[in-house]
């Protein structure tokens, strides 16, 4: 008897190879947005400005896959000492393009291959038609908590997804898929643990990518020397590395090298194409691989100290914008430069410290001799619900890390103190306006006057200006005074406008005056950052 669960035979088996099909949006040096294939992307990387995408996470996922291809092809610097010069070699990525274009016929690069689908787990095939969902399930930002309408109707929406978009969404799931429970049941499929989704490799921390002037320079900046084997690309689930099963929860497997790390299959995924091969109309998604990660596998991570004294990689937060922790990036480079005598290039920051520092800072208004932007990206998620992508781009120039640290650290301190003063002003207005409040109403009543959210949103742009002008050689202390005054005046305006909601009565006037006075008094305290008092720290 044939297996009744087997997928129905198709008269025509679509084929889709990202090496050949234009599938990655990129921005050219003359600011045109075009789609290119993977081979063309690597071949022309120094003629392209950057990878584009619908979300920061999608862009990171594509870069991760490109790094994996480079490592698998042997395209990386041979030593830390070689790395700074290697970054500037514009033909250094050509071997990766040639390697990718010349893969043997036995190595299938087909998204819809029946037994070796690219990036997918073909073992799910017998269950795809019955247990799969609409292609929305593949897109982290659309899927919600898999229970958005309780009956999962939104996941059954028949609107198909273009194949190129599905390919990029699949890469994003492997890298950023949040933890939780999948819709697939293990009782009828591959085993009970296939429904338990672990957070993917970058799902719980900030990923920092060094950005160059071109995509080629960006890739070279983020390719590190390899100590030991570079590993193989995880092209498909059933070939190469021995994968986990789903009868019991496995231990994380050892990483076989950077190619393995950057292409690991964080989800079991299977895509069903439409008969014409132009779209994906059904998706099945379950648990993927688990890796045993150590510090050497997180070369870009910046460690911060938590309130309990423990240390962990910088993580994404819905309540704390990335720029408020930018000083941690500069501190990592400064620490690496101080250890230059023993610098092995083991982390991104140690490699950045290998660039020679300029003898003197750039003249005011002049770009430094070398500039690299540090792009920090993270996903804020609550179990299976993706809340928001957060990211920030911060300038770096070799030798200026101490100045950049001072500007970013003081800038964050100033903003933090102003936010605290705004809350205390709101509390003061609440005390006067609601002399006999119900305890249950306190939070919402204070929130009526608290403009902290407006303050944080408005402060990001002045902070970016502060960092940019520091990179251009302007005097840091003068910049901080100007920044502090801008932040103070803007916050005061927000507070005054919010207090305008008070009634035009004696009590309303009293609350308004008390709140404004409390705000000014807080900023005038000796413990306030000196810049808020018009003094240099």
């Amino acid at each position: 008897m044939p297996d009744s669960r087997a997928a129905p035979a198709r008269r025509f088996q679509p084929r889709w190879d990202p090496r050949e099909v234009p599938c990655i949006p990129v921005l050219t040096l003359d600011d045109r947005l075009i789609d290119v294939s993977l081979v063309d992307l690597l071949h022309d990387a120094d003629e392209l400005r950057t990878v584009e995408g619908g979300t920061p996470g999608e862009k990171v996922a594509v870069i991760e896959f490109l790094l994996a291809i480079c490592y698998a092809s042997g395209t990386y610097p041979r030593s830390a000492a070689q790395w700074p010069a290697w970054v500037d070699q514009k033909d250094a990525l050509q071997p990766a393009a040639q390697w990718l274009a010349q893969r043997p016929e036995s190595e299938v690069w087909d998204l819809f291959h029946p037994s070796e689908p690219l990036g997918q787990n073909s073992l799910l095939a017998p269950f795809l038609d019955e247990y799969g969902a609409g292609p929305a399930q593949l897109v982290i930002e659309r899927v919600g908590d898999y229970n958005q309408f309780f009956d999962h109707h939104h996941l059954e929406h028949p609107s198909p997804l273009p194949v190129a978009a599905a390919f990029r969404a699949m890469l994003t799931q492997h890298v950023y898929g949040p933890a939780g429970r999948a819709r697939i049941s293990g009782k009828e499929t591959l085993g009970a643990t296939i429904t338990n989704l672990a957070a993917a490799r970058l799902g719980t921390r900030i990923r920092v990518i060094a950005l160059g002037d071109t995509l080629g320079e960006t890739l070279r900046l983020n390719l590190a020397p390899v100590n030991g084997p570079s590993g193989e690309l995880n092209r498909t689930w059933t070939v190469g590395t021995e994968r986990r099963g789903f009868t019991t929860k496995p231990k994380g497997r050892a990483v076989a090298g950077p190619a393995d790390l950057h292409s690991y299959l964080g989800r079991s995924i299977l895509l069903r194409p439409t008969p014409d091969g132009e779209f994906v109309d059904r998706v099945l998604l379950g648990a993927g691989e688990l890796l045993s990660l150590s510090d050497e596998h997180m070369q870009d991570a910046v460690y911060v100290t938590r309130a309990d004294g423990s240390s962990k990689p910088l993580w994404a937060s819905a309540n704390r914008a990335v720029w408020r922790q930018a000083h941690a990036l500069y501190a990592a480079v400064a620490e690496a430069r101080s250890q230059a005598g023993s610098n092995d290039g083991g982390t991104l920051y140690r490699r950045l410290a290998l660039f020679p520092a300029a003898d003197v800072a750039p003249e005011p208004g002049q770009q430094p001799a070398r500039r690299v932007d540090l792009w920090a990206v993270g996903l804020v998620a609550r179990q299976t619900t993706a809340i928001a992508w957060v990211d920030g781009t911060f300038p770096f120039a070799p030798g200026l890390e101490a100045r950049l640290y001072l500007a970013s650290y003081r800038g964050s301190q100033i903003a933090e103190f102003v936010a605290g003063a705004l809350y205390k002003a709101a509390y003061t207005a609440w005390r006067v306006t609601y002399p006999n409040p119900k305890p249950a109403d306190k939070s919402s009543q204070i929130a009526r006057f608290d403009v902290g959210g407006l303050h944080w949103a408005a402060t990001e742009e002045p902070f970016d200006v502060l960092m940019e002008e520091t990179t251009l050689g302007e005097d840091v202390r003068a910049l901080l005074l100007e920044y502090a005054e801008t932040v103070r005046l803007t916050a005061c305006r927000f507070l005054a406008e919010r207090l305008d909601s008070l009634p035009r009565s004696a009590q309303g006037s009293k609350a308004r005056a008390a709140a404004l006075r409390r705000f000014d008094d807080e900023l005038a305290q000796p413990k306030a950052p000196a810049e808020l008092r018009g003094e240099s720290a």
Side-chain angles (χ1 to χ4, degrees):
M1 292 289 291
D3 188 346
S4 61
R5 300 176 303 179
R10 297 181 183 272
R11 293 182 180 178
F12 168 71
Q13 179 66 43
R15 179 179 178 277
W16 193 89
D17 186 339
R19 298 176 304 167
E20 306 168 355
V21 179
C23 57
I24 307 297
V26 295
L27 190 66
T28 65
L29 294 182
D30 55 358
D31 293 328
R32 290 178 296 117
L33 186 64
I34 61 174
D35 290 344
V36 297
S37 67
L38 289 178
V39 170
D40 288 343
L41 188 153
L42 287 167
H43 184 274
D44 301 331
D46 284 293
E47 304 303 320
L48 304 173
R49 191 178 305 281
T50 184
V51 168
E52 289 296 320
T55 66
E58 181 182 300
K59 294 169 65 174
V60 169
V62 170
I63 291 173
E64 289 283 325
F65 195 59
L66 295 174
L67 293 175
I69 292 171
C70 290
Y71 281 119
S73 67
T75 307
Y76 49 82
R78 298 304 153 187
S79 67
Q82 181 194 6
W83 182 82
W86 188 82
V87 168
D88 292 330
Q89 292 180 17
K90 292 191 175 182
D91 60 348
L93 300 181
Q94 293 304 307
Q98 295 168 7
W99 178 89
L100 187 60
Q102 297 170 2
R103 302 317 299 148
E105 288 293 329
S106 60
E107 190 174 294
V108 180
W109 280 73
D110 179 3
L111 202 66
F112 303 130
H113 192 274
S115 61
E116 299 181 25
L118 182 65
Q120 299 162 74
N121 185 351
S122 62
L123 299 177
L124 294 172
F127 318 103
L128 176 58
D129 289 346
E130 181 177 357
Y131 295 104
Q137 186 181 25
L138 191 63
V139 183
I140 288 176
E141 303 79 22
R142 291 177 59 188
V143 73
D145 60 359
Y146 305 133
N147 288 281
Q148 186 175 351
F149 299 141
F150 187 73
D151 60 359
H152 307 295
H153 178 74
H154 70 305
L155 293 183
E156 300 296 344
H157 196 285
S159 178
L161 194 64
V163 177
F167 172 64
R168 299 191 302 270
M170 178 188 72
L171 294 180
T172 310
Q173 278 282 357
H174 285 319
V175 175
Y176 279 107
R181 293 185 67 82
R183 292 185 67 233
I184 185 173
S185 169
K187 294 181 179 179
E188 299 88 359
T189 56
L190 301 184
T193 62
I194 197 168
T195 193
N196 299 324
L197 303 179
R201 180 171 62 92
L202 300 182
T204 59
R205 71 174 181 91
I206 292 289
R207 171 70 159 108
V208 181
I209 291 178
L211 300 178
D213 292 335
T214 67
L215 176 60
E217 185 180 357
T218 293
L219 293 175
R220 291 190 294 273
L221 282 166
N222 293 280
L223 286 163
V226 177
N227 296 319
S230 59
E232 295 184 355
L233 198 74
N234 288 290
R235 186 174 45 82
T236 189
W237 187 276
T238 52
V239 174
T241 302
E242 184 177 347
R243 315 288 171 185
R244 61 168 288 189
F246 297 101
T247 55
T248 60
K249 180 180 178 180
K251 295 181 179 179
R253 70 168 176 83
V255 177
D260 176 30
L261 176 72
H262 290 280
S263 66
Y264 100 113
L265 304 175
R267 290 285 183 266
S268 286
I269 293 174
L270 194 61
L271 312 179
R272 188 180 76 180
T274 54
D276 60 8
E278 297 293 327
F279 297 90
V280 167
D281 67 357
R282 203 155 186 81
V283 173
L284 190 56
L285 186 152
E289 293 197 271
L290 296 175
L291 296 181
S292 179
L293 299 175
S294 62
D295 289 348
E296 69 174 303
H297 304 123
M298 297 186 285
Q299 295 185 358
D300 63 296
V302 175
Y303 290 84
V304 294
T305 302
R306 297 192 291 185
D308 62 1
S310 62
S311 179
K312 66 174 288 187
L314 185 62
W315 63 96
S317 170
N319 302 317
R320 191 174 182 85
V322 179
W323 64 265
R324 294 166 63 179
Q325 293 285 351
H327 54 274
L329 306 180
Y330 301 119
V333 182
E335 180 180 0
R337 194 174 294 281
S338 70
Q339 301 171 351
S342 58
N343 196 340
D344 58 1
T347 69
L348 171 63
Y349 310 101
R350 288 192 173 190
R351 293 196 298 277
L352 291 174
L354 289 170
F355 284 128
D359 294 333
V360 294
E363 290 293 324
Q366 297 296 312
Q367 286 285 357
R370 177 182 287 276
R371 172 178 171 146
V372 174
D373 286 336
L374 301 177
W375 183 39
V377 180
L379 175 64
V380 181
R382 183 178 62 253
Q383 294 185 328
T384 54
T385 303
I387 299 173
W389 292 103
V390 295
D391 72 318
T393 303
F394 311 105
F396 165 76
L400 292 186
E401 52 267 16
R403 291 188 180 202
L404 291 164
Y405 174 82
L406 174 63
S408 56
Y409 182 71
R410 295 296 294 176
S412 181
Q413 275 194 323
I414 289 166
E416 293 272 8
F417 197 89
V418 170
L422 287 171
Y423 181 82
K424 291 175 180 177
Y427 181 87
T428 300
W430 167 75
R431 288 290 302 269
V432 176
T433 305
Y434 302 98
N436 298 299
K438 295 179 180 179
D441 296 335
K442 178 180 178 180
S443 295
S444 61
Q445 290 170 349
I446 294 177
R448 171 188 173 185
F449 304 113
D450 187 8
V451 292
L454 294 175
H455 157 70
W456 284 119
T459 304
E460 184 170 2
E461 183 177 350
F463 181 86
D464 288 343
V465 172
L466 167 68
M467 300 310 298
E468 184 68 26
E469 293 189 348
T470 300
T471 309
L472 296 178
E474 301 290 347
D475 180 70
V476 178
R477 299 188 186 280
L479 290 174
L480 283 168
L481 287 171
E482 183 179 349
Y483 163 84
E485 182 66 3
T486 298
V487 172
R488 184 187 69 80
L489 290 174
T490 303
C492 188
R493 175 169 58 82
F494 286 149
L495 178 60
E497 291 173 352
R498 182 64 60 88
L499 294 171
D500 284 344
S501 67
L502 288 165
R504 302 299 180 183
S505 63
Q507 186 181 37
S509 297
K510 181 179 178 182
R512 177 185 176 88
L516 291 173
R517 185 169 57 250
R518 178 66 184 274
F519 179 72
D520 289 339
D521 288 347
E522 287 295 318
L523 301 191
Q525 289 189 61
K527 68 178 182 179
E531 294 88 350
L532 289 170
R533 302 192 304 273
E535 305 167 5
S536 294

